[in-house]
Amino acid sequence: MRLYAKKKVLSWTQDFSIMNERDEVVYTAKGQFDLLGRRKLRILDGNGNELAFIKQRVAAFSTTMDVLVNGYETMTIRKKMLSFRPTFIIQGEDWIVRGNFLNYEYVIEDGNGRLVAEISKKFFSWTDTFGIDIIDDRANVAHVIAVVMAIHTDMQTSSTAAASANF
């Protein structure tokens, strides 16, 4: 299944339309912040029904986000900081995400090293649009989208913080 995510114009939060190859909006990601500055994302289907809710943990050593479906935690996304390049560990799906996150060239693999999905920006020249190619037919599409959107939000926040620190 091939999808592409495109950031909504003039959005202060991380709001995305996720479209299929026929350019139909099939999912939406809506970002928000709470009073403590924690990031939150909602993944909605084409009818506006919530498929997943992602919330950042406040008191975590590295980036940690929980994914809830129907109010129950189904996955935890953790950024592994001890490697040269960041790696994300997805508990609950036994996935690992690695690659070049800033350039949107990364993969999601299962615990056996099999490819679950590829994320790429190389075919999209405009800002904040990237492809999501789900290879594994058994993969939960909402979970893949939740992981991709959580990583995107983390990388955007990290790059903004790094740019601010350079001034």
Side-chain angles (χ1 to χ4, degrees):
M1 169 185 282
R2 289 184 186 213
L3 303 169
Y4 66 95
K6 182 176 183 182
K7 186 171 183 186
K8 293 185 179 180
V9 179
L10 301 175
S11 172
W12 291 101
T13 58
Q14 298 293 322
D15 292 348
F16 280 82
S17 293
I18 299 153
M19 295 168 267
N20 61 18
E21 292 177 296
R22 293 181 303 277
D23 215 23
E24 301 165 329
V25 176
V26 289
Y27 301 99
T28 305
K30 296 196 172 282
Q32 63 189 93
F33 293 94
D34 66 11
L35 294 174
L36 299 174
R38 292 180 295 192
R39 297 177 300 254
K40 295 181 178 183
L41 292 161
R42 294 185 187 284
I43 308 299
L44 309 172
D45 67 13
N47 296 320
N49 300 311
E50 185 174 283
L51 300 176
F53 178 69
I54 306 156
K55 64 178 183 171
Q56 178 187 17
R57 288 190 191 168
V58 176
F61 173 68
S62 65
T63 299
T64 303
M65 295 187 180
D66 296 315
V67 178
L68 292 90
V69 175
N70 296 324
Y72 296 100
E73 185 178 313
T74 58
M75 294 188 308
T76 300
I77 303 167
R78 280 199 172 82
K79 187 176 188 179
K80 187 176 173 186
M81 300 296 294
L82 300 176
S83 58
F84 176 69
R85 287 193 176 191
T87 301
F88 290 85
I89 307 299
I90 315 305
Q91 295 171 324
E93 281 286 1
D94 191 28
W95 292 345
I96 187 165
V97 187
R98 56 180 117 215
N100 185 335
F101 298 102
L102 291 176
N103 290 327
Y104 294 91
E105 300 295 330
Y106 60 94
V107 297
I108 301 173
E109 298 173 339
D110 69 13
N112 295 319
R114 289 187 299 260
L115 196 59
V116 174
E118 293 179 312
I119 292 71
S120 177
K121 194 173 183 175
K122 66 179 154 185
F123 297 112
F124 301 99
S125 59
W126 54 91
T127 306
D128 279 341
T129 300
F130 47 92
I132 305 167
D133 193 6
I134 302 173
I135 310 297
D136 187 346
D137 292 337
R138 298 166 299 166
N140 181 318
V141 176
H143 284 186
V144 172
I145 293 170
V147 168
V148 172
M149 291 293 108
I151 290 171
H152 171 78
T153 301
D154 178 65
M155 297 315 292
Q156 290 295 307
T157 304
S158 298
S159 63
T160 302
S164 298
N166 291 332
F167 286 108

